[in-house]
Amino acid sequence: MTRSFLPITTIAIFILFLWYCLSIVLNSSWAYDRAARNSQTLTFKELVHDTWSQKKPKLPAPHQVFSEMWETTFNKKVTSKRSLVYHTWITLSGTIAGFLFGTILGIVLALAIVHDRATDLSIMPWIITSQAIPILALAPMIIVVLGSMGFTGLLPKAVISMYLSFFPIVVGMVKGLRSPEILEIDQMKTWSATKTQILWYLRIPRSIPYLFTSLKLGIAASLVGAIVGELPSGAISGLGARMLAGSYYGQTIKIWSALFAAAILAATLVTLIGLIQKIISKRMMLQV
Amino acid sequence: MKYYFFISLIFWGLAWWLNTKLSRLPPSRTIRIASPLLFGSTLILLWEATIISFKVSPVILPAPSSVFVRLINSVPTLWIDFVQTVIKGAMSGYLIGCLSAFVIALLVNNFKFLERGLLPIGNFMAALPIVGTAPILVMWFGFDWQSKAAVVTVMVFFPMLINTIQGLQMSDKIQRDLMKTYNASAWQTLTKLRLATAMPFIFNGLKICSTLALIGAIVAEFFGSPIKGMGFRITTEVGRFALDMVWAEITIAAITGSMLYGGIVLIERRITFWHPSQRGRA
């Protein structure tokens, strides 16, 4: 970790620098236009100051985004519609619900595939094909159809998240449950272990590292699903809804702050799963 | 009318029984293809029968037959949308994104310092909901396909970058030393050894990106588009409750996605025939 600390910070600082430069370039035409209308000329210093503090810039400077995030996180009531925490919570609840459904579905499918050859042969190809379908394109329809059946809010989002998150879990778990070698399974059989015992004492413990890798992929996919699920539904709360509202009114700072909130949320969720993995692996005395 | 449903259920049971029998036979190519086809056709039959026997409103779920009829009848519209979204939006973004990520990975590969910094950052970026940049990019590049290509470029860039960087690290030290004893130049080592060992990773990246590209191009259209394109058609037809048209678009998208993925897999088999995961295939 310490070895890569310096390279990472260097690149992060470079990106930040590039961003500030880009925001000068992209916002300059607006600044020049306004100066021309007031028949003024801008010095470079004034130009920089202006491009970093416009109200609806093409590319807001990082400090503008962070001050907006600070403002909407700490200076607003959590229950307020203007609070970023509120919108993040709405998206998070959809993500978690979809992730849980997806995990359960994924594990059940993986168990069926590993134990039943017919399932493996007939369903596995369809599971793989299902991911070539751009499910996010289905999002508007899922929302309208479920809406017409009386389900609104959390459920449609959770369905989309589930569809996106079950796939990495099926694939990872099938790989994990099949990771014991034939020799080991034979050993279990010489001890006259039943199928359930082989599953419980050999296959499942072996699949844990694979499971956690898939869970990390799954939760990130689930978050994308929840955000996109908010876009076409005309939802008024959630990070996706905030992005959409921001794009309607040209409030770029709002879009970027929602984007950053989503990024922080994704990083937190993945780190959290990593932590759980560490604890469980320690308990099971696995090497990470 | 209810008996349609029961007949299809019986058919489903029979097909499942047949699949179980098939799976006990010695594995062959025919079985690998027949078994999923059998399962898929039972699903479609069950779907059709459910719609007929329970008189499900086409506003909720259209029958596969009506989707098929709609698909045949509106080929010109579907073709216009296909060109707009897939060829102009997704493909150009896919090519630009993958190619630039590949070139940058090659450049970075010579500097260990940059590589150590870029890999974790790239991993982090690849996990982010990058689709979220769609509204911003649509604002920057306008409503037409250029903004869709931009969204796709950004979406595919990081997965491709980290896969290529990781792939280029795959050659063993001993293999590189062997290249040195052959007096190979840096270019020869790159093309003959390091790119070759990187290929499985590069193809993995290309496969992941092919699905991302379609998703990116369609979702970007939700934020504004000219009056053509698959994403545009889906949102407007959903608004008019013409779900058969929506399903027709989805069918096209699914076929396109599978063909892209399948095409890349075929090329991969040709190029990385030496890899353990490809060996032993008939």
mmCIF file of all heavy atoms in Angstrom, chain B residues 171-197:
data_model
loop_
_atom_site.group_PDB
_atom_site.id
_atom_site.type_symbol
_atom_site.label_atom_id
_atom_site.label_comp_id
_atom_site.label_asym_id
_atom_site.label_seq_id
_atom_site.Cartn_x
_atom_site.Cartn_y
_atom_site.Cartn_z
ATOM 1 N N SER B 171 3.723 -11.531 -18.791
ATOM 2 C CA SER B 171 4.868 -12.327 -19.227
ATOM 3 C C SER B 171 5.823 -12.528 -18.053
ATOM 4 O O SER B 171 6.013 -11.637 -17.233
ATOM 5 C CB SER B 171 5.585 -11.627 -20.378
ATOM 6 O OG SER B 171 5.995 -10.352 -19.977
ATOM 7 N N ASP B 172 6.401 -13.731 -17.952
ATOM 8 C CA ASP B 172 7.313 -14.023 -16.853
ATOM 9 C C ASP B 172 8.670 -13.379 -17.107
ATOM 10 O O ASP B 172 9.040 -13.116 -18.242
ATOM 11 C CB ASP B 172 7.511 -15.538 -16.730
ATOM 12 C CG ASP B 172 6.241 -16.220 -16.285
ATOM 13 O OD1 ASP B 172 5.444 -15.542 -15.604
ATOM 14 O OD2 ASP B 172 6.037 -17.394 -16.638
ATOM 15 N N LYS B 173 9.395 -13.197 -16.006
ATOM 16 C CA LYS B 173 10.712 -12.596 -16.118
ATOM 17 C C LYS B 173 11.618 -13.500 -16.948
ATOM 18 O O LYS B 173 12.404 -13.026 -17.769
ATOM 19 C CB LYS B 173 11.304 -12.390 -14.728
ATOM 20 C CG LYS B 173 12.611 -11.638 -14.734
ATOM 21 C CD LYS B 173 12.834 -10.878 -13.475
ATOM 22 C CE LYS B 173 13.984 -9.893 -13.596
ATOM 23 N NZ LYS B 173 15.117 -10.388 -14.346
ATOM 24 N N ILE B 174 11.445 -14.785 -16.732
ATOM 25 C CA ILE B 174 12.322 -15.743 -17.423
ATOM 26 C C ILE B 174 12.092 -15.696 -18.933
ATOM 27 O O ILE B 174 13.024 -15.817 -19.730
ATOM 28 C CB ILE B 174 12.112 -17.165 -16.845
ATOM 29 C CG1 ILE B 174 13.285 -18.062 -17.237
ATOM 30 C CG2 ILE B 174 10.807 -17.777 -17.269
ATOM 31 C CD1 ILE B 174 13.402 -19.265 -16.339
ATOM 32 N N GLN B 175 10.824 -15.458 -19.331
ATOM 33 C CA GLN B 175 10.526 -15.351 -20.760
ATOM 34 C C GLN B 175 11.157 -14.089 -21.342
ATOM 35 O O GLN B 175 11.690 -14.095 -22.452
ATOM 36 C CB GLN B 175 9.010 -15.307 -20.972
ATOM 37 C CG GLN B 175 8.326 -16.608 -20.595
ATOM 38 C CD GLN B 175 6.826 -16.485 -20.567
ATOM 39 O OE1 GLN B 175 6.287 -15.446 -20.190
ATOM 40 N NE2 GLN B 175 6.147 -17.556 -20.949
ATOM 41 N N ARG B 176 11.087 -12.994 -20.555
ATOM 42 C CA ARG B 176 11.686 -11.746 -21.052
ATOM 43 C C ARG B 176 13.203 -11.896 -21.168
ATOM 44 O O ARG B 176 13.823 -11.383 -22.090
ATOM 45 C CB ARG B 176 11.323 -10.583 -20.128
ATOM 46 C CG ARG B 176 9.867 -10.166 -20.246
ATOM 47 C CD ARG B 176 9.631 -8.789 -19.655
ATOM 48 N NE ARG B 176 9.876 -8.759 -18.223
ATOM 49 C CZ ARG B 176 8.920 -8.998 -17.304
ATOM 50 N NH1 ARG B 176 7.694 -9.274 -17.684
ATOM 51 N NH2 ARG B 176 9.203 -8.951 -16.032
ATOM 52 N N ASP B 177 13.781 -12.610 -20.198
ATOM 53 C CA ASP B 177 15.224 -12.852 -20.256
ATOM 54 C C ASP B 177 15.593 -13.659 -21.494
ATOM 55 O O ASP B 177 16.603 -13.390 -22.148
ATOM 56 C CB ASP B 177 15.682 -13.601 -18.997
ATOM 57 C CG ASP B 177 15.782 -12.670 -17.814
ATOM 58 O OD1 ASP B 177 15.738 -11.438 -18.052
ATOM 59 O OD2 ASP B 177 15.880 -13.150 -16.674
ATOM 60 N N LEU B 178 14.739 -14.627 -21.807
ATOM 61 C CA LEU B 178 14.988 -15.439 -22.994
ATOM 62 C C LEU B 178 14.998 -14.555 -24.242
ATOM 63 O O LEU B 178 15.866 -14.686 -25.112
ATOM 64 C CB LEU B 178 13.912 -16.516 -23.118
ATOM 65 C CG LEU B 178 14.090 -17.456 -24.311
ATOM 66 C CD1 LEU B 178 15.362 -18.271 -24.157
ATOM 67 C CD2 LEU B 178 12.897 -18.369 -24.465
ATOM 68 N N MET B 179 14.031 -13.615 -24.309
ATOM 69 C CA MET B 179 13.983 -12.700 -25.442
ATOM 70 C C MET B 179 15.279 -11.902 -25.529
ATOM 71 O O MET B 179 15.796 -11.636 -26.605
ATOM 72 C CB MET B 179 12.792 -11.742 -25.324
ATOM 73 C CG MET B 179 11.428 -12.369 -25.521
ATOM 74 S SD MET B 179 11.222 -13.251 -27.061
ATOM 75 C CE MET B 179 10.782 -11.934 -28.160
ATOM 76 N N LYS B 180 15.831 -11.526 -24.335
ATOM 77 C CA LYS B 180 17.075 -10.769 -24.333
ATOM 78 C C LYS B 180 18.229 -11.597 -24.874
ATOM 79 O O LYS B 180 19.069 -11.092 -25.626
ATOM 80 C CB LYS B 180 17.389 -10.310 -22.905
ATOM 81 C CG LYS B 180 17.007 -8.847 -22.682
ATOM 82 C CD LYS B 180 17.425 -8.379 -21.315
ATOM 83 C CE LYS B 180 16.454 -7.331 -20.816
ATOM 84 N NZ LYS B 180 16.397 -7.276 -19.360
ATOM 85 N N THR B 181 18.250 -12.877 -24.473
ATOM 86 C CA THR B 181 19.343 -13.714 -24.967
ATOM 87 C C THR B 181 19.254 -13.903 -26.471
ATOM 88 O O THR B 181 20.250 -14.131 -27.134
ATOM 89 C CB THR B 181 19.346 -15.111 -24.307
ATOM 90 O OG1 THR B 181 18.115 -15.741 -24.629
ATOM 91 C CG2 THR B 181 19.513 -15.019 -22.823
ATOM 92 N N TYR B 182 18.018 -13.781 -27.019
ATOM 93 C CA TYR B 182 17.866 -13.824 -28.479
ATOM 94 C C TYR B 182 18.246 -12.503 -29.115
ATOM 95 O O TYR B 182 18.065 -12.317 -30.305
ATOM 96 C CB TYR B 182 16.412 -14.117 -28.866
ATOM 97 C CG TYR B 182 15.915 -15.506 -28.546
ATOM 98 C CD1 TYR B 182 14.555 -15.747 -28.396
ATOM 99 C CD2 TYR B 182 16.789 -16.570 -28.428
ATOM 100 C CE1 TYR B 182 14.081 -17.006 -28.118
ATOM 101 C CE2 TYR B 182 16.314 -17.835 -28.138
ATOM 102 C CZ TYR B 182 14.966 -18.050 -27.986
ATOM 103 O OH TYR B 182 14.494 -19.294 -27.715
ATOM 104 N N ASN B 183 18.652 -11.532 -28.282
ATOM 105 C CA ASN B 183 18.998 -10.194 -28.762
ATOM 106 C C ASN B 183 17.785 -9.503 -29.418
ATOM 107 O O ASN B 183 17.904 -8.822 -30.427
ATOM 108 C CB ASN B 183 20.165 -10.283 -29.763
ATOM 109 C CG ASN B 183 20.755 -8.914 -30.004
ATOM 110 O OD1 ASN B 183 20.575 -8.027 -29.173
ATOM 111 N ND2 ASN B 183 21.417 -8.735 -31.131
ATOM 112 N N ALA B 184 16.605 -9.728 -28.834
ATOM 113 C CA ALA B 184 15.395 -9.123 -29.385
ATOM 114 C C ALA B 184 15.330 -7.652 -28.996
ATOM 115 O O ALA B 184 15.713 -7.277 -27.891
ATOM 116 C CB ALA B 184 14.162 -9.843 -28.856
ATOM 117 N N SER B 185 14.848 -6.829 -29.914
ATOM 118 C CA SER B 185 14.681 -5.407 -29.596
ATOM 119 C C SER B 185 13.432 -5.247 -28.732
ATOM 120 O O SER B 185 12.640 -6.182 -28.576
ATOM 121 C CB SER B 185 14.526 -4.610 -30.881
ATOM 122 O OG SER B 185 13.327 -4.961 -31.512
ATOM 123 N N ALA B 186 13.263 -4.045 -28.169
ATOM 124 C CA ALA B 186 12.102 -3.786 -27.320
ATOM 125 C C ALA B 186 10.814 -4.021 -28.102
ATOM 126 O O ALA B 186 9.841 -4.572 -27.586
ATOM 127 C CB ALA B 186 12.143 -2.358 -26.781
ATOM 128 N N TRP B 187 10.837 -3.594 -29.372
ATOM 129 C CA TRP B 187 9.658 -3.747 -30.219
ATOM 130 C C TRP B 187 9.328 -5.222 -30.457
ATOM 131 O O TRP B 187 8.182 -5.642 -30.384
ATOM 132 C CB TRP B 187 9.901 -3.018 -31.548
ATOM 133 C CG TRP B 187 8.802 -3.203 -32.534
ATOM 134 C CD1 TRP B 187 8.823 -3.964 -33.653
ATOM 135 C CD2 TRP B 187 7.493 -2.618 -32.476
ATOM 136 N NE1 TRP B 187 7.620 -3.891 -34.302
ATOM 137 C CE2 TRP B 187 6.786 -3.072 -33.602
ATOM 138 C CE3 TRP B 187 6.860 -1.753 -31.569
ATOM 139 C CZ2 TRP B 187 5.474 -2.695 -33.859
ATOM 140 C CZ3 TRP B 187 5.553 -1.377 -31.834
ATOM 141 C CH2 TRP B 187 4.879 -1.847 -32.956
ATOM 142 N N GLN B 188 10.398 -6.000 -30.716
ATOM 143 C CA GLN B 188 10.182 -7.432 -30.950
ATOM 144 C C GLN B 188 9.653 -8.110 -29.693
ATOM 145 O O GLN B 188 8.759 -8.962 -29.766
ATOM 146 C CB GLN B 188 11.491 -8.084 -31.392
ATOM 147 C CG GLN B 188 11.803 -7.807 -32.851
ATOM 148 C CD GLN B 188 13.201 -8.233 -33.215
ATOM 149 O OE1 GLN B 188 14.134 -8.119 -32.420
ATOM 150 N NE2 GLN B 188 13.364 -8.728 -34.430
ATOM 151 N N THR B 189 10.216 -7.732 -28.513
ATOM 152 C CA THR B 189 9.737 -8.326 -27.271
ATOM 153 C C THR B 189 8.261 -7.997 -27.080
ATOM 154 O O THR B 189 7.474 -8.835 -26.645
ATOM 155 C CB THR B 189 10.525 -7.764 -26.063
ATOM 156 O OG1 THR B 189 11.896 -7.732 -26.410
ATOM 157 C CG2 THR B 189 10.305 -8.590 -24.840
ATOM 158 N N LEU B 190 7.907 -6.759 -27.431
ATOM 159 C CA LEU B 190 6.516 -6.344 -27.259
ATOM 160 C C LEU B 190 5.586 -7.148 -28.161
ATOM 161 O O LEU B 190 4.612 -7.742 -27.700
ATOM 162 C CB LEU B 190 6.383 -4.848 -27.556
ATOM 163 C CG LEU B 190 4.982 -4.287 -27.385
ATOM 164 C CD1 LEU B 190 4.620 -4.237 -25.915
ATOM 165 C CD2 LEU B 190 4.872 -2.905 -27.998
ATOM 166 N N THR B 191 5.909 -7.175 -29.450
ATOM 167 C CA THR B 191 4.973 -7.800 -30.384
ATOM 168 C C THR B 191 4.987 -9.329 -30.286
ATOM 169 O O THR B 191 3.959 -9.962 -30.422
ATOM 170 C CB THR B 191 5.283 -7.407 -31.838
ATOM 171 O OG1 THR B 191 6.665 -7.625 -32.065
ATOM 172 C CG2 THR B 191 4.945 -5.962 -32.108
ATOM 173 N N LYS B 192 6.175 -9.903 -30.032
ATOM 174 C CA LYS B 192 6.248 -11.359 -30.093
ATOM 175 C C LYS B 192 5.965 -12.017 -28.751
ATOM 176 O O LYS B 192 5.503 -13.150 -28.701
ATOM 177 C CB LYS B 192 7.621 -11.777 -30.607
ATOM 178 C CG LYS B 192 7.847 -11.307 -32.033
ATOM 179 C CD LYS B 192 8.707 -12.275 -32.781
ATOM 180 C CE LYS B 192 8.495 -12.213 -34.276
ATOM 181 N NZ LYS B 192 8.612 -10.937 -34.908
ATOM 182 N N LEU B 193 6.256 -11.316 -27.651
ATOM 183 C CA LEU B 193 6.042 -11.947 -26.354
ATOM 184 C C LEU B 193 4.922 -11.267 -25.549
ATOM 185 O O LEU B 193 3.913 -11.873 -25.220
ATOM 186 C CB LEU B 193 7.346 -11.943 -25.537
ATOM 187 C CG LEU B 193 7.171 -12.367 -24.085
ATOM 188 C CD1 LEU B 193 6.796 -13.830 -24.005
ATOM 189 C CD2 LEU B 193 8.439 -12.103 -23.277
ATOM 190 N N ARG B 194 5.114 -9.964 -25.263
ATOM 191 C CA ARG B 194 4.257 -9.357 -24.238
ATOM 192 C C ARG B 194 2.841 -9.161 -24.727
ATOM 193 O O ARG B 194 1.886 -9.397 -23.993
ATOM 194 C CB ARG B 194 4.874 -8.035 -23.792
ATOM 195 C CG ARG B 194 6.351 -8.244 -23.521
ATOM 196 C CD ARG B 194 6.946 -7.566 -22.343
ATOM 197 N NE ARG B 194 6.167 -6.553 -21.731
ATOM 198 C CZ ARG B 194 6.436 -5.271 -21.820
ATOM 199 N NH1 ARG B 194 7.457 -4.852 -22.555
ATOM 200 N NH2 ARG B 194 5.714 -4.421 -21.194
ATOM 201 N N LEU B 195 2.663 -8.760 -25.995
ATOM 202 C CA LEU B 195 1.299 -8.620 -26.511
ATOM 203 C C LEU B 195 0.615 -9.978 -26.603
ATOM 204 O O LEU B 195 -0.567 -10.115 -26.328
ATOM 205 C CB LEU B 195 1.309 -7.961 -27.891
ATOM 206 C CG LEU B 195 1.292 -6.447 -27.875
ATOM 207 C CD1 LEU B 195 1.233 -5.903 -29.287
ATOM 208 C CD2 LEU B 195 0.101 -5.931 -27.082
ATOM 209 N N ALA B 196 1.398 -10.991 -26.945
ATOM 210 C CA ALA B 196 0.821 -12.326 -27.058
ATOM 211 C C ALA B 196 0.305 -12.800 -25.709
ATOM 212 O O ALA B 196 -0.816 -13.300 -25.598
ATOM 213 C CB ALA B 196 1.859 -13.297 -27.605
ATOM 214 N N THR B 197 1.121 -12.628 -24.651
ATOM 215 C CA THR B 197 0.659 -13.086 -23.340
ATOM 216 C C THR B 197 -0.459 -12.203 -22.800
ATOM 217 O O THR B 197 -1.212 -12.613 -21.930
ATOM 218 C CB THR B 197 1.806 -13.111 -22.305
ATOM 219 O OG1 THR B 197 2.516 -11.880 -22.397
ATOM 220 C CG2 THR B 197 2.747 -14.268 -22.549
#
